[in-house]
Amino acid sequence: MRGFFLPVIYILIIFPVNFEGFYLMQRLLYLIPLLVLIGCSSTNNKTASSHTNTMFDNVNRLACSIKYADSNQFCTCFVSVLSEVTPVSIKQKTVEGEPSSTNDLASIMIQHSDKLNQCEVTKTPDLSISNIKLTALGQAILLEHKDKILTPENRFNLVPHLTIGYEFSMEQIGAIEKRAYSEKLVKVDQNAFYFSLLNNGVVERESLYKYQHGDLYLRAQSTTEQTIQNEYKIPYNYQCQFVIGKCSSVSHSGLKKTVYTEFREGYWISNQPTFGVKRKIVIKIFGIDGLPLYEYNLFQNGRTSEYVRKLRNK
């Protein structure tokens, strides 16, 4: 029975983590009673690889089904990929409960995080939004820009009024140093603003961004020296920014990202993915010019970050 204590504890610790990150040694020890159910079926057969594979997969499958009871497809995918990329020798060590198997398996998961993360497309995300309230700064910005806030109703009726040379950046509250990068308005075409990216006042990318109806577009550049594509596209992580309700986009690596958004009395609040299975709550306030005024992020670990628009040329 000894051989199953370490592997089951380890697998149950592994599942809630960000595969690209750390945090590999924490949480879910309340599932230890599960060991009693599994331990009774242990065996001393250390040579049969088929038996080792089966026991390794069963432990992973049971742990995943407990953590993600409503995501059978995700667990099936995850267990299959993990089994595929894990050498039999490490599986054997894990099944036998050797202490070194913990670090070995952690390394395997980090090494193959790209494949494991592909399973995220099958997972049903929690899209709920807590009853979070605006910070004092967020409330002050709403009050300051009363009747000059971007809403679902006025988003497509914006009339550009910024002048060429307008420069701004989103500064993080509490940051020790001033943000190096800023955006400078270089062109206005009907209802679209074109901004260059500046690094400490020096142009780094000419006309890199376009803001239209609040949406941010990024200019695509070819990988060849002969051609520069002056085509602007909304990056996948911005495609759902103003879609009320559930919205999905696909990343460059083929991962499906699902966002849920609401508009509440002047601000946009959304449940967004971060890394792996992690998600965050994001609050944004946009000015009537379509540019962001304020952003607040609440991460699952309780960490927060807050940004506000600052003029850079005045």
Side-chain angles (χ1 to χ4, degrees):
M1 182 162 176
R2 165 190 168 275
F4 284 89
F5 274 76
L6 182 61
V8 175
I9 290 177
Y10 178 72
I11 295 299
L12 295 178
I13 291 174
I14 282 294
F15 272 107
V17 307
N18 167 2
F19 300 132
E20 298 178 2
F22 310 95
Y23 314 119
L24 294 177
M25 302 300 191
Q26 59 182 337
R27 302 177 210 165
L28 296 187
L29 292 180
Y30 63 83
L31 291 177
I32 289 178
L34 176 63
L35 301 174
V36 177
L37 300 177
I38 301 177
C40 297
S41 64
S42 64
T43 177
N44 291 322
N45 186 353
K46 301 180 181 180
T47 58
S49 61
S50 61
H51 173 77
T52 298
N53 289 333
T54 299
M55 297 307 295
F56 181 82
D57 291 350
N58 286 345
V59 169
N60 279 279
R61 188 174 294 107
L62 182 56
C64 186
S65 65
I66 290 176
K67 176 60 180 175
Y68 302 112
D70 60 343
S71 298
N72 182 60
Q73 286 184 304
F74 167 75
C75 289
T76 298
C77 176
F78 185 93
V79 172
S80 175
V81 172
L82 185 60
S83 182
E84 176 188 342
V85 300
T86 304
V88 174
S89 59
I90 295 180
K91 292 181 182 179
Q92 185 71 47
K93 291 168 64 177
T94 303
V95 168
E96 292 175 0
E98 293 188 21
S100 62
S101 65
T102 299
N103 289 332
D104 291 341
L105 194 54
S107 297
I108 289 294
M109 296 182 74
I110 294 174
Q111 194 175 19
H112 297 279
S113 61
D114 54 341
K115 291 184 178 180
L116 291 169
N117 282 340
Q118 291 293 330
C119 295
E120 290 301 309
V121 298
T122 66
K123 188 176 181 296
T124 303
D126 177 8
L127 300 178
S128 61
I129 294 180
S130 59
N131 190 24
I132 185 174
K133 295 183 179 179
L134 272 177
T135 64
L137 177 58
Q139 294 175 9
I141 289 176
L142 274 183
L143 183 61
E144 178 185 354
H145 297 272
K146 186 178 180 181
D147 300 325
K148 295 182 180 180
I149 296 294
L150 185 72
T151 70
E153 291 75 25
N154 68 17
R155 192 162 75 88
F156 294 98
N157 299 319
L158 299 181
V159 178
H161 62 275
L162 297 178
T163 57
I164 300 298
Y166 182 87
E167 184 181 345
F168 79 98
S169 63
M170 295 300 291
E171 301 288 334
Q172 183 172 5
I173 301 302
I176 298 176
E177 297 183 1
K178 184 179 180 180
R179 180 176 170 81
Y181 286 94
S182 60
E183 299 175 37
K184 185 174 183 178
L185 181 62
V186 294
K187 176 184 176 182
V188 178
D189 183 11
Q190 297 183 5
N191 56 6
F193 300 147
Y194 293 80
F195 284 82
S196 291
L197 177 67
L198 277 62
N199 184 352
N200 287 316
V202 179
V203 176
E204 188 167 289
R205 296 282 184 87
E206 188 72 36
S207 300
L208 180 63
Y209 304 111
K210 178 178 78 169
Y211 289 87
Q212 190 169 21
H213 306 306
D215 280 317
L216 180 148
Y217 293 77
L218 185 66
R219 189 183 68 186
Q221 295 190 20
S222 68
T223 56
T224 65
E225 295 181 359
Q226 293 85 357
T227 306
I228 295 181
Q229 302 172 352
N230 291 315
E231 181 181 4
Y232 289 83
K233 294 183 178 180
I234 303 177
Y236 83 94
N237 52 320
Y238 284 89
Q239 290 174 5
C240 293
Q241 186 165 238
F242 296 116
V243 179
I244 301 299
K246 184 178 178 181
C247 174
S248 296
S249 61
V250 179
S251 70
H252 301 297
S253 60
L255 291 179
K256 181 180 178 180
K257 301 291 185 178
T258 303
V259 176
Y260 178 81
T261 302
E262 296 179 1
F263 183 77
R264 300 178 178 178
E265 300 179 345
Y267 61 91
W268 305 75
I269 181 169
S270 60
N271 180 318
Q272 302 180 12
T274 53
F275 298 102
V277 297
K278 301 293 184 180
R279 300 188 69 84
K280 64 178 179 178
I281 301 299
V282 180
I283 293 177
K284 288 187 176 182
I285 299 173
F286 295 85
I288 198 65
D289 51 21
L291 305 182
L293 285 170
Y294 172 84
E295 179 179 330
Y296 176 84
N297 298 276
L298 172 62
F299 299 89
Q300 280 186 274
N301 62 3
R303 185 172 64 86
T304 63
S305 61
E306 197 170 18
Y307 301 82
V308 64
R309 190 204 299 187
K310 294 288 187 182
L311 298 183
R312 296 291 293 265
N313 51 352
K314 287 186 178 181

